Amino acid sequence: MSEPIDSPDVPQPTRAGGGPLRHTRAKGEPRFPDGPKADPAGSHFERRIRSFQPRRSRVTAGQADALQRLWPKWGLDIDGQRVIDLAELFGADLPVVLEIGFGMGEATAQMAAEDPGTGILAVDVHTPGQGNLLNLADRNGLSNIRVGNGDAIILLREMLPPESLSGLRVYFPDPWPKKRHHKRRLIQPEFLNLVATRLKPGGLVHCATDWEPYAEQMLEVLSAHPDFENTQPDGGYAPRPGFRPLTRFEGQGLDKGHVVNDLLFRRVQHRDQHAPGD
């Protein structure tokens, strides 16, 4: 595996006297006029229990610059108002995998660099991470990354055509450890029903978590779903595949004795289904 892609060291704008330059927004002024919207889907869709919490924490000057400069080129606001053509979005007819939740984007950028023939549609609601991933893509010439902002459920349900994805990646999602919050976990039967309609037959669902009770639930739910089959002959967890980089966060957890479980399930084609064009 190649060397990890580091976050870009972007010079920070300064004001006279050497302090950081800060822009004071007027009331009602968008935070990023040409960048990701705070709530792209607005009130167009029903309110429901969500598996994520929007996080628009502190953004560095370099991240803000990337959001302003690169969002019109590589960004996608998930507004649910149109069905997107992935070949048009990526500017090439690539197999596309959807990654839900990418943190600061280092692992996503590394996977894109090592597999330039695959498009990665990476979705998150963390504004600093969006800016950082755009910076990484720009710095390393990674034209096979697109950054989605908003609710991945709306993207899957409203904006992606049937059988348009070659894979789904969900790495270290929020485990919602309290029992009363388990309903917020992303990997649920209803979610997999939706995913199954958007994955091509043979498409790979790859999940990873360091929360063992969540791993057990993922294994149970995926194993029970008729549209997915475990790639492991023993029906258990998979070794970490070489294409998933070992992140700093994961390495720190392993050093503390945490157990990380990978799950690799394949979208099956039933006998009564036919491939497009048959």
Side-chain angles (χ1 to χ4, degrees), residues 82-106:
R82 61 191 175 96
V83 176
I84 60 176
D85 182 331
L86 291 175
E88 181 181 337
L89 181 68
F90 282 85
D93 190 11
L94 301 174
V96 175
V97 298
L98 172 63
E99 182 179 2
I100 300 178
F102 55 79
M104 294 305 290
E106 290 95 342

PDB file of all heavy atoms in Angstrom, residues 82-106:
ATOM      1  N   ARG A  82     -33.679  16.240  -7.888  1.00  0.00           N
ATOM      2  CA  ARG A  82     -33.408  15.730  -9.233  1.00  0.00           C
ATOM      3  C   ARG A  82     -32.705  14.387  -9.140  1.00  0.00           C
ATOM      4  O   ARG A  82     -32.087  14.067  -8.123  1.00  0.00           O
ATOM      5  CB  ARG A  82     -32.519  16.705 -10.021  1.00  0.00           C
ATOM      6  CG  ARG A  82     -31.148  16.932  -9.382  1.00  0.00           C
ATOM      7  CD  ARG A  82     -30.400  18.077 -10.026  1.00  0.00           C
ATOM      8  NE  ARG A  82     -29.150  18.370  -9.339  1.00  0.00           N
ATOM      9  CZ  ARG A  82     -27.953  17.891  -9.719  1.00  0.00           C
ATOM     10  NH1 ARG A  82     -27.862  17.095 -10.775  1.00  0.00           N
ATOM     11  NH2 ARG A  82     -26.859  18.214  -9.050  1.00  0.00           N
ATOM     12  N   VAL A  83     -32.818  13.618 -10.208  1.00  0.00           N
ATOM     13  CA  VAL A  83     -32.067  12.370 -10.316  1.00  0.00           C
ATOM     14  C   VAL A  83     -30.768  12.683 -11.042  1.00  0.00           C
ATOM     15  O   VAL A  83     -30.775  13.296 -12.119  1.00  0.00           O
ATOM     16  CB  VAL A  83     -32.869  11.296 -11.077  1.00  0.00           C
ATOM     17  CG1 VAL A  83     -32.036  10.038 -11.270  1.00  0.00           C
ATOM     18  CG2 VAL A  83     -34.154  10.972 -10.327  1.00  0.00           C
ATOM     19  N   ILE A  84     -29.665  12.288 -10.442  1.00  0.00           N
ATOM     20  CA  ILE A  84     -28.367  12.655 -11.020  1.00  0.00           C
ATOM     21  C   ILE A  84     -27.847  11.546 -11.932  1.00  0.00           C
ATOM     22  O   ILE A  84     -28.116  10.362 -11.732  1.00  0.00           O
ATOM     23  CB  ILE A  84     -27.321  12.973  -9.926  1.00  0.00           C
ATOM     24  CG1 ILE A  84     -27.086  11.768  -9.006  1.00  0.00           C
ATOM     25  CG2 ILE A  84     -27.737  14.179  -9.129  1.00  0.00           C
ATOM     26  CD1 ILE A  84     -26.010  12.010  -7.981  1.00  0.00           C
ATOM     27  N   ASP A  85     -27.120  11.957 -12.943  1.00  0.00           N
ATOM     28  CA  ASP A  85     -26.424  11.053 -13.858  1.00  0.00           C
ATOM     29  C   ASP A  85     -24.984  10.944 -13.362  1.00  0.00           C
ATOM     30  O   ASP A  85     -24.226  11.921 -13.407  1.00  0.00           O
ATOM     31  CB  ASP A  85     -26.479  11.628 -15.279  1.00  0.00           C
ATOM     32  CG  ASP A  85     -25.808  10.726 -16.304  1.00  0.00           C
ATOM     33  OD1 ASP A  85     -24.865   9.994 -15.939  1.00  0.00           O
ATOM     34  OD2 ASP A  85     -26.219  10.771 -17.475  1.00  0.00           O
ATOM     35  N   LEU A  86     -24.597   9.776 -12.848  1.00  0.00           N
ATOM     36  CA  LEU A  86     -23.266   9.638 -12.256  1.00  0.00           C
ATOM     37  C   LEU A  86     -22.157   9.827 -13.283  1.00  0.00           C
ATOM     38  O   LEU A  86     -21.092  10.364 -12.963  1.00  0.00           O
ATOM     39  CB  LEU A  86     -23.128   8.283 -11.570  1.00  0.00           C
ATOM     40  CG  LEU A  86     -23.979   8.117 -10.291  1.00  0.00           C
ATOM     41  CD1 LEU A  86     -23.858   6.703  -9.750  1.00  0.00           C
ATOM     42  CD2 LEU A  86     -23.566   9.128  -9.233  1.00  0.00           C
ATOM     43  N   ALA A  87     -22.381   9.404 -14.514  1.00  0.00           N
ATOM     44  CA  ALA A  87     -21.370   9.624 -15.550  1.00  0.00           C
ATOM     45  C   ALA A  87     -21.166  11.114 -15.799  1.00  0.00           C
ATOM     46  O   ALA A  87     -20.046  11.589 -16.000  1.00  0.00           O
ATOM     47  CB  ALA A  87     -21.770   8.915 -16.839  1.00  0.00           C
ATOM     48  N   GLU A  88     -22.252  11.868 -15.760  1.00  0.00           N
ATOM     49  CA  GLU A  88     -22.150  13.321 -15.917  1.00  0.00           C
ATOM     50  C   GLU A  88     -21.490  13.952 -14.697  1.00  0.00           C
ATOM     51  O   GLU A  88     -20.658  14.856 -14.818  1.00  0.00           O
ATOM     52  CB  GLU A  88     -23.537  13.902 -16.131  1.00  0.00           C
ATOM     53  CG  GLU A  88     -23.556  15.414 -16.327  1.00  0.00           C
ATOM     54  CD  GLU A  88     -24.968  15.950 -16.517  1.00  0.00           C
ATOM     55  OE1 GLU A  88     -25.843  15.180 -16.920  1.00  0.00           O
ATOM     56  OE2 GLU A  88     -25.176  17.148 -16.235  1.00  0.00           O
ATOM     57  N   LEU A  89     -21.853  13.472 -13.505  1.00  0.00           N
ATOM     58  CA  LEU A  89     -21.294  14.030 -12.275  1.00  0.00           C
ATOM     59  C   LEU A  89     -19.777  13.851 -12.230  1.00  0.00           C
ATOM     60  O   LEU A  89     -19.041  14.761 -11.830  1.00  0.00           O
ATOM     61  CB  LEU A  89     -21.931  13.360 -11.059  1.00  0.00           C
ATOM     62  CG  LEU A  89     -21.475  13.855  -9.684  1.00  0.00           C
ATOM     63  CD1 LEU A  89     -21.936  15.284  -9.438  1.00  0.00           C
ATOM     64  CD2 LEU A  89     -21.994  12.937  -8.578  1.00  0.00           C
ATOM     65  N   PHE A  90     -19.300  12.672 -12.634  1.00  0.00           N
ATOM     66  CA  PHE A  90     -17.861  12.384 -12.576  1.00  0.00           C
ATOM     67  C   PHE A  90     -17.128  12.745 -13.860  1.00  0.00           C
ATOM     68  O   PHE A  90     -15.895  12.673 -13.905  1.00  0.00           O
ATOM     69  CB  PHE A  90     -17.632  10.908 -12.244  1.00  0.00           C
ATOM     70  CG  PHE A  90     -17.815  10.590 -10.787  1.00  0.00           C
ATOM     71  CD1 PHE A  90     -19.061  10.310 -10.272  1.00  0.00           C
ATOM     72  CD2 PHE A  90     -16.728  10.591  -9.915  1.00  0.00           C
ATOM     73  CE1 PHE A  90     -19.246  10.028  -8.917  1.00  0.00           C
ATOM     74  CE2 PHE A  90     -16.898  10.321  -8.572  1.00  0.00           C
ATOM     75  CZ  PHE A  90     -18.164  10.041  -8.076  1.00  0.00           C
ATOM     76  N   GLY A  91     -17.859  13.085 -14.886  1.00  0.00           N
ATOM     77  CA  GLY A  91     -17.211  13.425 -16.144  1.00  0.00           C
ATOM     78  C   GLY A  91     -16.607  12.231 -16.840  1.00  0.00           C
ATOM     79  O   GLY A  91     -15.755  12.380 -17.728  1.00  0.00           O
ATOM     80  N   ALA A  92     -17.018  11.038 -16.453  1.00  0.00           N
ATOM     81  CA  ALA A  92     -16.502   9.800 -17.041  1.00  0.00           C
ATOM     82  C   ALA A  92     -17.421   8.664 -16.615  1.00  0.00           C
ATOM     83  O   ALA A  92     -18.086   8.739 -15.582  1.00  0.00           O
ATOM     84  CB  ALA A  92     -15.072   9.525 -16.587  1.00  0.00           C
ATOM     85  N   ASP A  93     -17.449   7.613 -17.427  1.00  0.00           N
ATOM     86  CA  ASP A  93     -18.298   6.463 -17.119  1.00  0.00           C
ATOM     87  C   ASP A  93     -17.521   5.493 -16.231  1.00  0.00           C
ATOM     88  O   ASP A  93     -16.967   4.498 -16.699  1.00  0.00           O
ATOM     89  CB  ASP A  93     -18.743   5.787 -18.415  1.00  0.00           C
ATOM     90  CG  ASP A  93     -19.823   4.745 -18.171  1.00  0.00           C
ATOM     91  OD1 ASP A  93     -20.356   4.704 -17.043  1.00  0.00           O
ATOM     92  OD2 ASP A  93     -20.115   3.964 -19.099  1.00  0.00           O
ATOM     93  N   LEU A  94     -17.469   5.810 -14.946  1.00  0.00           N
ATOM     94  CA  LEU A  94     -16.724   5.010 -13.980  1.00  0.00           C
ATOM     95  C   LEU A  94     -17.690   4.193 -13.125  1.00  0.00           C
ATOM     96  O   LEU A  94     -18.810   4.625 -12.865  1.00  0.00           O
ATOM     97  CB  LEU A  94     -15.924   5.915 -13.034  1.00  0.00           C
ATOM     98  CG  LEU A  94     -14.890   6.865 -13.611  1.00  0.00           C
ATOM     99  CD1 LEU A  94     -14.339   7.760 -12.504  1.00  0.00           C
ATOM    100  CD2 LEU A  94     -13.763   6.099 -14.273  1.00  0.00           C
ATOM    101  N   PRO A  95     -17.262   3.013 -12.635  1.00  0.00           N
ATOM    102  CA  PRO A  95     -18.020   2.401 -11.546  1.00  0.00           C
ATOM    103  C   PRO A  95     -17.928   3.306 -10.327  1.00  0.00           C
ATOM    104  O   PRO A  95     -16.858   3.833 -10.020  1.00  0.00           O
ATOM    105  CB  PRO A  95     -17.302   1.068 -11.320  1.00  0.00           C
ATOM    106  CG  PRO A  95     -15.929   1.268 -11.875  1.00  0.00           C
ATOM    107  CD  PRO A  95     -16.059   2.251 -12.995  1.00  0.00           C
ATOM    108  N   VAL A  96     -19.046   3.513  -9.645  1.00  0.00           N
ATOM    109  CA  VAL A  96     -19.095   4.475  -8.541  1.00  0.00           C
ATOM    110  C   VAL A  96     -19.498   3.777  -7.256  1.00  0.00           C
ATOM    111  O   VAL A  96     -20.466   3.005  -7.231  1.00  0.00           O
ATOM    112  CB  VAL A  96     -20.083   5.621  -8.842  1.00  0.00           C
ATOM    113  CG1 VAL A  96     -20.217   6.561  -7.640  1.00  0.00           C
ATOM    114  CG2 VAL A  96     -19.630   6.412 -10.072  1.00  0.00           C
ATOM    115  N   VAL A  97     -18.741   4.032  -6.190  1.00  0.00           N
ATOM    116  CA  VAL A  97     -19.104   3.561  -4.860  1.00  0.00           C
ATOM    117  C   VAL A  97     -19.525   4.772  -4.029  1.00  0.00           C
ATOM    118  O   VAL A  97     -18.989   5.874  -4.182  1.00  0.00           O
ATOM    119  CB  VAL A  97     -17.953   2.802  -4.173  1.00  0.00           C
ATOM    120  CG1 VAL A  97     -17.574   1.559  -4.961  1.00  0.00           C
ATOM    121  CG2 VAL A  97     -16.744   3.694  -3.966  1.00  0.00           C
ATOM    122  N   LEU A  98     -20.505   4.543  -3.175  1.00  0.00           N
ATOM    123  CA  LEU A  98     -20.975   5.577  -2.258  1.00  0.00           C
ATOM    124  C   LEU A  98     -20.347   5.333  -0.900  1.00  0.00           C
ATOM    125  O   LEU A  98     -20.433   4.231  -0.352  1.00  0.00           O
ATOM    126  CB  LEU A  98     -22.497   5.511  -2.150  1.00  0.00           C
ATOM    127  CG  LEU A  98     -23.164   6.389  -1.082  1.00  0.00           C
ATOM    128  CD1 LEU A  98     -22.940   7.866  -1.356  1.00  0.00           C
ATOM    129  CD2 LEU A  98     -24.662   6.081  -0.996  1.00  0.00           C
ATOM    130  N   GLU A  99     -19.692   6.352  -0.365  1.00  0.00           N
ATOM    131  CA  GLU A  99     -19.135   6.275   0.990  1.00  0.00           C
ATOM    132  C   GLU A  99     -19.944   7.209   1.888  1.00  0.00           C
ATOM    133  O   GLU A  99     -20.043   8.412   1.610  1.00  0.00           O
ATOM    134  CB  GLU A  99     -17.664   6.665   1.018  1.00  0.00           C
ATOM    135  CG  GLU A  99     -17.065   6.544   2.412  1.00  0.00           C
ATOM    136  CD  GLU A  99     -15.578   6.897   2.481  1.00  0.00           C
ATOM    137  OE1 GLU A  99     -15.004   7.277   1.438  1.00  0.00           O
ATOM    138  OE2 GLU A  99     -15.010   6.808   3.577  1.00  0.00           O
ATOM    139  N   ILE A 100     -20.518   6.660   2.938  1.00  0.00           N
ATOM    140  CA  ILE A 100     -21.329   7.452   3.864  1.00  0.00           C
ATOM    141  C   ILE A 100     -20.530   7.690   5.135  1.00  0.00           C
ATOM    142  O   ILE A 100     -20.205   6.757   5.862  1.00  0.00           O
ATOM    143  CB  ILE A 100     -22.646   6.730   4.198  1.00  0.00           C
ATOM    144  CG1 ILE A 100     -23.471   6.505   2.931  1.00  0.00           C
ATOM    145  CG2 ILE A 100     -23.458   7.542   5.207  1.00  0.00           C
ATOM    146  CD1 ILE A 100     -24.769   5.754   3.161  1.00  0.00           C
ATOM    147  N   GLY A 101     -20.189   8.952   5.372  1.00  0.00           N
ATOM    148  CA  GLY A 101     -19.409   9.329   6.549  1.00  0.00           C
ATOM    149  C   GLY A 101     -17.930   9.118   6.317  1.00  0.00           C
ATOM    150  O   GLY A 101     -17.450   7.994   6.393  1.00  0.00           O
ATOM    151  N   PHE A 102     -17.191  10.198   6.025  1.00  0.00           N
ATOM    152  CA  PHE A 102     -15.769  10.053   5.710  1.00  0.00           C
ATOM    153  C   PHE A 102     -14.861  10.821   6.663  1.00  0.00           C
ATOM    154  O   PHE A 102     -13.645  10.861   6.457  1.00  0.00           O
ATOM    155  CB  PHE A 102     -15.480  10.473   4.265  1.00  0.00           C
ATOM    156  CG  PHE A 102     -15.928  11.869   3.910  1.00  0.00           C
ATOM    157  CD1 PHE A 102     -15.177  12.975   4.279  1.00  0.00           C
ATOM    158  CD2 PHE A 102     -17.095  12.070   3.196  1.00  0.00           C
ATOM    159  CE1 PHE A 102     -15.574  14.260   3.947  1.00  0.00           C
ATOM    160  CE2 PHE A 102     -17.510  13.352   2.853  1.00  0.00           C
ATOM    161  CZ  PHE A 102     -16.751  14.452   3.228  1.00  0.00           C
ATOM    162  N   GLY A 103     -15.413  11.403   7.713  1.00  0.00           N
ATOM    163  CA  GLY A 103     -14.551  12.091   8.681  1.00  0.00           C
ATOM    164  C   GLY A 103     -13.812  13.247   8.044  1.00  0.00           C
ATOM    165  O   GLY A 103     -14.406  14.132   7.425  1.00  0.00           O
ATOM    166  N   MET A 104     -12.497  13.250   8.171  1.00  0.00           N
ATOM    167  CA  MET A 104     -11.672  14.299   7.580  1.00  0.00           C
ATOM    168  C   MET A 104     -11.195  13.938   6.178  1.00  0.00           C
ATOM    169  O   MET A 104     -10.524  14.728   5.524  1.00  0.00           O
ATOM    170  CB  MET A 104     -10.481  14.616   8.482  1.00  0.00           C
ATOM    171  CG  MET A 104     -10.871  15.228   9.816  1.00  0.00           C
ATOM    172  SD  MET A 104     -11.893  16.728   9.657  1.00  0.00           S
ATOM    173  CE  MET A 104     -10.696  17.885   8.991  1.00  0.00           C
ATOM    174  N   GLY A 105     -11.510  12.746   5.703  1.00  0.00           N
ATOM    175  CA  GLY A 105     -11.303  12.415   4.299  1.00  0.00           C
ATOM    176  C   GLY A 105      -9.972  11.798   3.921  1.00  0.00           C
ATOM    177  O   GLY A 105      -9.748  11.490   2.749  1.00  0.00           O
ATOM    178  N   GLU A 106      -9.061  11.596   4.895  1.00  0.00           N
ATOM    179  CA  GLU A 106      -7.746  11.055   4.535  1.00  0.00           C
ATOM    180  C   GLU A 106      -7.845   9.662   3.914  1.00  0.00           C
ATOM    181  O   GLU A 106      -7.207   9.365   2.898  1.00  0.00           O
ATOM    182  CB  GLU A 106      -6.814  11.010   5.751  1.00  0.00           C
ATOM    183  CG  GLU A 106      -6.352  12.362   6.253  1.00  0.00           C
ATOM    184  CD  GLU A 106      -7.224  12.882   7.385  1.00  0.00           C
ATOM    185  OE1 GLU A 106      -8.374  12.374   7.555  1.00  0.00           O
ATOM    186  OE2 GLU A 106      -6.767  13.806   8.089  1.00  0.00           O
TER     187      GLU A 106
END
